[in-house]
Amino acid sequence: MQRTGESMARSLRSLLVITATLIMLVGTAWANDEETPYNPETIEQETISLLEAISKTLSNAPAIALQEQSAESSRGALQQQSGVFDHLLTGSFKAEDGEQFLRESEIGREQTKRDDKNVEAQEARIERERHDRGVAELEAIIANPDVNAAITEALGDESFLVDNFPGLAAELGIVDGLSEAGLSDEQIRDIVLDNMRQSLTRERDALLARENRLFTELANLGEAPTKEEGFEVALSLNYEIPFRNGIKLTPFLDSVFSGQRYVGKPRTNECFLPGEDELDTADDIPQECGGLGLEDLYSHKAGIRFDFPLLAGRGREETGAFEDAAKLDVEAALYALQHTVSQALVQTASAFWRVRGAQEQVAILERSAQRQTDMLDMVQTLVDAEEQPRVELLRSRARSATVRGQLEDAQRALVEARVALASTIGLGVGGIENAPLAGDDFPGVASEAELGGARTDALIGAAPRARADLASARLGSDSGRILLRAAELGLRDVLDLSVEFGGNAISEESFSESTDRWTGPDGSISLAYSHPFGNNIAEGAYLQRQAQLAQRQIEEGDLERVIKANVVDVMTSLREAAAAVQLAGEAVESFQETADAEVQKYRANESTLIDVLLTEEQLVGAEAGLVQARQTYSSLLARLWFETGAVIDELPEGDYEVDEDAFVTVPTAGGSGE
């Protein structure tokens, strides 16, 4: 039979690539960072072609939009898994300051130090005072006019000089003999005694200086400390470089500035006082000032660390498994998106043909209603001419009313079909004007050769290779195998090797000086081992992965079986539907000739009105049957395109195109129609 849908086929051929519409179906879908709300399109047009319906479906169907987001979610999961191997710069900064009580033993040591210093200072004072009196005694002897008498008195009983300065007392005894040797008092006073006084005065001055120094040191020490305070400023930087084979490389830098002191005391244990020497210079002499005696410290450590997993965690099969599986999941999601698009387009085509069928039913009943009106006029004329009884008029009116009722039912069914088509496309419907009519006729019926067994066998063999949902399922199985292998490798014990190389720097002077005082290189090596007894976590994960892979493989095998069975079922039904269209067309032609003949016979009074009405009713039924047969054939043809995976072809660059002959011809094993 010649096609009646050639005009639609020509329109579809103009749709070479619907990349502009389907661009949202792949990676660039919803590429903007802001969330795009779902805003269904609303149209106001009387009719819509199948091509337009397909295009509107691609841009409005919510099922496609949802699957797009699912594919985008898979990309996010892949990016997340890839992020495990991102280079990672980590840094930490810490500043601490605090104080605490000293231990009792340390407080005791500090107090003992001060007590000892006080004892030493008091002893120095006593010694200095003894010398003060000795100098005074000498000065009194020198001032006495009778030197010998003064000496004799000074060296008498309970003599201070004899008790405290026996050497000086002995020298004075010798001086007493000098006067007998002929020296005058003046000579003894100016030469001998004055020298003795100067010598003792110098000793007294030295003792005074020592006394002052000891009391100054005691004052500098202050009270014994009871608390200590400290601070630390630390900066740490690490740059982790993980590899997909499990090895991790980490350059690092640690810098610390720290200090510790007694509360209320200077930082170090030294302070400076002017020194006293013979030249009276002001050279600084270090003195103890009660501090802890520690300078602030600048320290640095820099190097590089290598971490090598030797058992669990070693190799890409385990470490990179989730990323590799996520890549396959993205491909699977894109195939699932392609399958969803095919489903949405087939549903649109089926809804489109239902509208076309409802329109045809309305047209059939409109023609029938017009024929009943014409028949009623003819009967009225015959009754008025008394050529027919008046009961014929009532019978004609009854039939006319019946047809009008059927027409109203068909019009309601058409409205429902139009709204259903708009809903399937994803259009917003605010009124019947937003639900267009079908602008294309049913496709023509294929020849017996196109529906023969050879074509069926070819489609059965090609369908599993072309179906996007089966491709998605196979990728899911491949992903499961990767994860199962990773779980198997995860059963191993943990044995990690860590090797570190680096250098150190330290200084009490300044930060800049510390950076110039590096030592090294230093090195270290360590091994870490762990063995979980029972290993239930890893064993449980392995069993889960096994079960998940088995589920995916079962689903994959069952889907392939169902696909082949559905192709056989649809091809068989399509052949039957084609035959039904042929028979229904022949029935319409026969009933049309019969109905025309009955009307002529009735005009010639050679037939009854009952025969005319019955024949017309049979004609309406035959026409309705033909419409139903063509609708069934068209819907089965659309389903065959879906079952064989021929609706959408994948292009090398990842976009898609809808076959130019989709839904109007029988698909071939290569994916296009004839």
Side-chain angles (χ1 to χ4, degrees), residues 425-672:
I425 293 174
L427 299 175
V429 179
I432 191 60
E433 67 276 3
N434 304 130
L437 296 167
D440 293 329
D441 196 2
F442 292 115
V445 177
S447 64
E448 293 183 4
E450 293 175 322
L451 300 175
R455 175 66 64 83
T456 300
D457 293 341
L459 290 176
I460 292 174
R465 297 190 301 271
R467 281 287 289 265
D469 53 345
L470 184 56
S472 178
R474 286 170 176 164
L475 288 169
S477 296
D478 293 340
S479 174
R481 292 186 187 93
I482 291 175
L483 295 178
L484 177 61
R485 176 58 177 165
E488 180 182 1
L489 294 173
L491 297 173
R492 299 176 294 183
D493 292 347
V494 173
L495 179 61
D496 294 338
L497 171 66
S498 181
V499 180
E500 183 175 303
F501 299 97
N504 297 277
I506 190 170
S507 175
E508 292 183 338
E509 298 297 328
S510 66
F511 177 84
S512 60
E513 181 179 341
S514 67
T515 58
D516 294 331
R517 303 179 72 244
W518 287 95
T519 62
D522 302 328
S524 67
I525 183 170
S526 62
L527 281 172
Y529 175 77
S530 66
H531 171 75
F533 290 96
N535 207 14
N536 290 308
I537 294 178
E539 290 283 0
Y542 180 72
L543 290 177
Q544 283 184 317
R545 295 302 183 190
Q546 273 187 321
Q548 291 170 356
L549 176 58
Q551 289 175 336
R552 294 180 181 185
Q553 290 173 328
I554 291 170
E555 292 171 353
E556 177 188 342
D558 181 62
L559 179 58
E560 184 173 358
R561 177 189 62 83
V562 170
I563 288 173
K564 293 179 179 179
N566 287 346
V567 172
V568 173
D569 177 50
V570 174
M571 281 297 290
T572 301
S573 299
L574 192 62
R575 283 195 294 269
E576 294 173 353
V581 171
Q582 183 70 29
L583 294 175
E586 295 174 359
V588 168
E589 292 178 1
S590 298
F591 278 115
Q592 184 66 58
E593 293 177 2
T594 302
D596 292 342
E598 286 296 332
V599 171
Q600 295 301 323
K601 289 169 62 177
Y602 182 74
R603 290 180 182 276
N605 206 18
E606 296 176 357
S607 178
T608 65
L609 181 61
I610 293 177
D611 293 332
V612 174
L613 297 180
L614 179 60
T615 303
E616 197 274 338
E617 184 178 356
Q618 291 172 336
L619 172 60
V620 171
E623 290 178 330
L626 176 59
V627 170
Q628 185 59 50
R630 295 182 68 190
Q631 180 181 333
T632 300
Y633 175 84
S634 300
S635 297
L636 286 170
L637 186 59
R639 185 185 168 195
L640 181 62
W641 277 83
F642 170 75
E643 295 294 347
T644 56
V647 177
I648 291 179
D649 294 329
E650 184 182 6
L651 298 179
E653 58 271 19
D655 293 334
Y656 301 95
E657 69 174 8
V658 177
D659 195 285
E660 60 182 12
D661 294 321
F663 310 134
V664 295
T665 63
V666 178
T668 63
S672 60

Side-chain angles (χ1 to χ4, degrees), residues 292-338:
L292 186 58
L294 296 177
E295 293 281 354
D296 293 343
L297 184 65
Y298 299 86
S299 62
H300 312 284
K301 183 177 182 180
I304 187 168
R305 183 171 55 253
F306 300 88
D307 296 309
F308 303 93
L310 303 180
L311 293 177
R314 178 172 61 87
R316 185 187 179 100
E317 279 188 307
E318 182 178 358
T319 308
F322 288 97
E323 182 186 28
D324 292 340
K327 290 178 181 178
L328 294 181
D329 290 341
V330 170
E331 293 185 52
L334 293 177
Y335 276 114
L337 173 58
Q338 182 180 345

Side-chain angles (χ1 to χ4, degrees), residues 48 61 93 110 158 164 207 248 261 266 271 279 312 346 386 398 427 465 467-468 502 540 562 598 648 656:
I48 189 172
F93 176 80
E110 290 295 323
E158 297 181 358
N164 291 274
L207 289 173
K248 184 166 65 175
R261 68 192 65 183
C271 55
L279 300 178
V346 169
E386 298 183 353
L427 299 175
R465 297 190 301 271
R467 281 287 289 265
V562 170
E598 286 296 332
I648 291 179
Y656 301 95

Side-chain angles (χ1 to χ4, degrees), residues 6-328:
E6 291 180 355
S7 61
M8 182 182 63
R10 287 193 299 269
S11 298
L12 282 175
R13 288 190 180 94
S14 65
L15 183 63
L16 296 177
V17 179
I18 316 182
T19 305
T21 305
L22 286 173
I23 192 74
M24 67 181 67
L25 307 183
V26 289
T28 55
W30 317 101
N32 54 339
D33 293 334
E34 297 182 359
E35 182 181 356
T36 303
Y38 174 66
N39 296 315
E41 181 183 358
T42 301
I43 64 173
E44 292 185 7
Q45 58 188 73
E46 185 177 358
T47 63
I48 189 172
S49 67
L50 181 59
L51 172 61
E52 292 174 315
I54 289 174
S55 179
K56 297 294 184 184
T57 300
L58 293 173
S59 57
N60 291 280
I64 296 177
L66 289 172
Q67 191 59 44
E68 289 168 0
Q69 295 308 309
S70 179
E72 194 67 19
S73 177
S74 297
R75 283 194 182 87
L78 171 58
Q79 186 174 3
Q80 187 176 17
Q81 293 301 328
S82 298
V84 174
F85 305 103
D86 287 346
H87 293 191
L88 179 63
L89 175 63
T90 59
S92 65
F93 176 80
K94 180 180 70 173
E96 292 183 347
D97 183 71
E99 64 178 41
Q100 63 179 5
F101 280 102
L102 296 174
R103 290 185 296 180
E104 294 295 335
S105 60
E106 188 171 357
I107 296 175
R109 286 194 301 271
E110 290 295 323
Q111 185 61 51
T112 298
K113 181 191 298 184
R114 284 154 179 79
D115 293 343
D116 292 345
K117 183 69 69 175
N118 183 56
V119 169
E120 187 179 1
Q122 293 299 333
E123 291 176 348
R125 172 174 290 180
I126 292 172
E127 184 66 16
R128 188 265 306 165
E129 290 176 348
R130 189 173 64 87
H131 278 69
D132 282 345
R133 185 174 176 181
V135 170
E137 291 279 347
L138 281 176
E139 289 178 345
I141 293 172
I142 295 172
N144 196 318
D146 189 354
V147 173
N148 290 326
I151 293 174
T152 301
E153 182 181 356
L155 298 177
D157 294 336
E158 297 181 358
S159 171
F160 176 81
L161 294 177
V162 172
D163 293 338
N164 291 274
F165 300 97
L168 180 63
E171 291 179 1
L172 286 174
I174 296 173
V175 171
D176 190 26
L178 293 176
S179 61
E180 297 177 0
L183 292 177
S184 64
D185 288 347
E186 290 297 326
Q187 291 176 324
I188 294 173
R189 183 182 294 110
D190 295 338
I191 299 173
V192 179
L193 293 180
D194 189 60
N195 288 336
M196 294 173 64
R197 184 190 57 156
Q198 291 181 9
S199 176
L200 188 60
T201 300
R202 284 193 295 269
E203 291 180 11
R204 191 272 316 270
D205 292 342
L207 289 173
L208 178 60
R210 181 171 179 269
E211 175 191 350
N212 291 335
R213 180 175 58 81
L214 289 174
F215 276 104
T216 301
E217 289 179 358
L218 183 61
N220 288 337
L221 284 175
E223 295 183 358
T226 59
K227 298 179 183 179
E228 66 177 353
E229 61 181 349
F231 72 92
E232 180 178 279
V233 179
L235 173 66
S236 178
L237 295 174
N238 293 270
Y239 188 73
E240 295 183 4
I241 307 174
F243 298 94
R244 286 169 174 79
N245 57 6
I247 297 174
K248 184 166 65 175
L249 174 66
T250 308
F252 64 89
L253 171 65
D254 297 322
S255 292
V256 178
F257 173 45
S258 61
Q260 189 175 4
R261 68 192 65 183
Y262 291 138
V263 175
K265 302 297 180 181
R267 179 179 59 188
T268 66
N269 199 29
E270 291 184 351
C271 55
F272 296 89
L273 295 174
E276 295 86 358
D277 56 17
E278 295 180 354
L279 300 178
D280 195 22
T281 61
D283 296 331
D284 287 340
I285 301 175
Q287 302 291 326
E288 191 173 8
C289 294
L292 186 58
L294 296 177
E295 293 281 354
D296 293 343
L297 184 65
Y298 299 86
S299 62
H300 312 284
K301 183 177 182 180
I304 187 168
R305 183 171 55 253
F306 300 88
D307 296 309
F308 303 93
L310 303 180
L311 293 177
R314 178 172 61 87
R316 185 187 179 100
E317 279 188 307
E318 182 178 358
T319 308
F322 288 97
E323 182 186 28
D324 292 340
K327 290 178 181 178
L328 294 181

